[in-house]
Amino acid sequence: PLDIDRVEAVMDTINQVDSNQKGFGWAKNRNVIVIQAESIQNFVIDREIDGQSITPVLNNLINNDSIYFSRYYEQVGWGNTSDAEFISHNSFYPSTKTFSYKAFEDNEFITLPSLLKEAGYSTIAFHGNEGSFWNRESIYSSQGIDTFISLEALQQDELIGIGLSDGSLFKQSVDFLKKQSQPFYSFYITLTSHHPFMMEDQYKGLKFQDTYKDTLLEDYLQTVHYLDNELGNFIELLKKEGLYDNSIIVIYGDHEGLNMRNEEANHLLTSFLGKPYEEDEMFRVPFIVHIPNSGLNEEIGTVGGQIDFFPTMANLLGLEMEPNKTLGKDLLNITDGFVAKQVHVARGSFIDDEKIFIMSNDGIFENSKAWNIHTREPVDLQECREGYERALAEINLSEYILQNNLIPTVKEEGLESILQLHP
Ligand code: GP9
């Protein structure tokens, strides 16, 4: 059941969104190329290993014609990569019981791709694994994705790890893009940087010296560097085919690559980062919106999460959408960021612009932990009560809406209407 007081508190947060709408239509009518990057965490950005840049292409993108959201967090549940897609496209929380593409497969949705379709876009997704994985091929049409190019429709000319290499996927996709009616929304789910990060030596572009050589961290960073390099090749190809100038290229990480609960990963990252490797770094992923020839060079430090992807993108693409139609917020038009987490850490955990709160697994609030995300100083738990309540309220409301297939109602009448419907 819904807790009405808590839901009313969620409604209050809707008023945070600034009606001046900074960024509205900055990328209007352009083709959209979204790359959901497997296991890419934010700590790799602008960082070197043994004197070499890990992500030179991403770093360069960030500094030229881009908006970089530097405090962006993943919010996935049991559906990992597929939940990252689900949250980003729908702006509701993932199922707390199973993977969302299964839990809600019969629901009706209003998604970023479906809104773009209404605005005249064609939609297409690319992934180098079997189409049935994570139930994608069944649910994509209700997610607003009309064409799904999965492994079966591609030449299996270069396999790395669990599927087609990112390089081959990007290359082969260009022929499809050329035939796609414009403007198009294209969605790529990369795969090569998937755990356990195994690649043959020929694909490894970084030279490691002693400290991290032949470790899990080397394996991870080699695959991240590989993806970065292939992204650079892809952009060159888009330029050659005349598909770059009138497009936007959007990249975000789907979820963590290195789990802090894995002793080896924790030890390596704590040493590499020079600070304890904990949730605030593990959940942080990059989100970059590159708008060629825009002259933009902005870093947005407001805390946000994958739930904010849809409203943020809708604003940039010039789609009119009231703030009460999704649970996420347009990150260009709020000053108070907030990210709730409900799977992989106990429900009610959250991150805001100042702190991170991790609810205790035993359900006892007083046993939880919280610290300042800038200074790492401990934070008094009493300062976290309100955020904890808000996190629970948002998740509760999201579940109620999804379990009762109410997204069309929310689209028509706003989140407030849910309160009237509720007995
Ligand atoms: C599978 C790929 C990886 O198709 O998306 O999924 P993951 O195991 O990271 O959830």
Side-chain angles (χ1 to χ4, degrees), residues 38 79-81 127 129 133-134 136 162 189 191 194 254-255:
E38 174 66 39
N80 289 338
T81 297
H127 183 46
N129 197 356
F133 206 95
W134 287 130
R136 286 184 177 104
I162 61 171
I189 307 135
L191 205 51
H194 192 279
D254 61 353
H255 53 68

Side-chain angles (χ1 to χ4, degrees), residues 38 81 85 125-137 140 148-154 156 158-166 169 189-192 194:
E38 174 66 39
T81 297
E85 303 170 21
F126 300 97
H127 183 46
N129 197 356
E130 283 156 20
S132 58
F133 206 95
W134 287 130
N135 208 26
R136 286 184 177 104
E137 69 189 2
Y140 268 4
F148 179 29
I149 306 299
S150 57
L151 187 61
E152 297 86 339
L154 294 158
Q156 299 182 26
E158 187 179 58
L159 299 169
I160 306 180
I162 61 171
L164 189 66
S165 74
D166 296 342
L169 181 79
I189 307 135
T190 72
L191 205 51
T192 305
H194 192 279

Side-chain angles (χ1 to χ4, degrees), residues 90-127:
N90 294 278
S91 194
F92 284 93
Y93 288 93
S95 167
T96 50
K97 300 193 175 65
T98 176
F99 60 104
S100 309
Y101 278 175
K102 190 74 198 164
F104 308 125
E105 69 180 334
D106 298 324
N107 279 29
E108 281 179 73
F109 298 96
I110 314 290
T111 64
L112 176 65
S114 71
L115 277 197
L116 284 169
K117 272 172 59 176
E118 282 174 23
Y121 274 68
S122 66
T123 58
I124 186 164
F126 300 97
H127 183 46

Side-chain angles (χ1 to χ4, degrees), residues 277-289:
Y277 180 50
E278 295 185 290
E279 289 89 345
D280 51 344
E281 202 58 80
M282 182 170 73
F283 293 143
R284 188 149 75 125
V285 293
F287 173 26
I288 302 158
V289 179

Side-chain angles (χ1 to χ4, degrees), residues 74-94:
E74 58 96 336
Q75 295 173 291
V76 304
W78 307 120
N80 289 338
T81 297
S82 61
D83 274 356
E85 303 170 21
F86 180 85
I87 313 159
S88 302
H89 280 153
N90 294 278
S91 194
F92 284 93
Y93 288 93

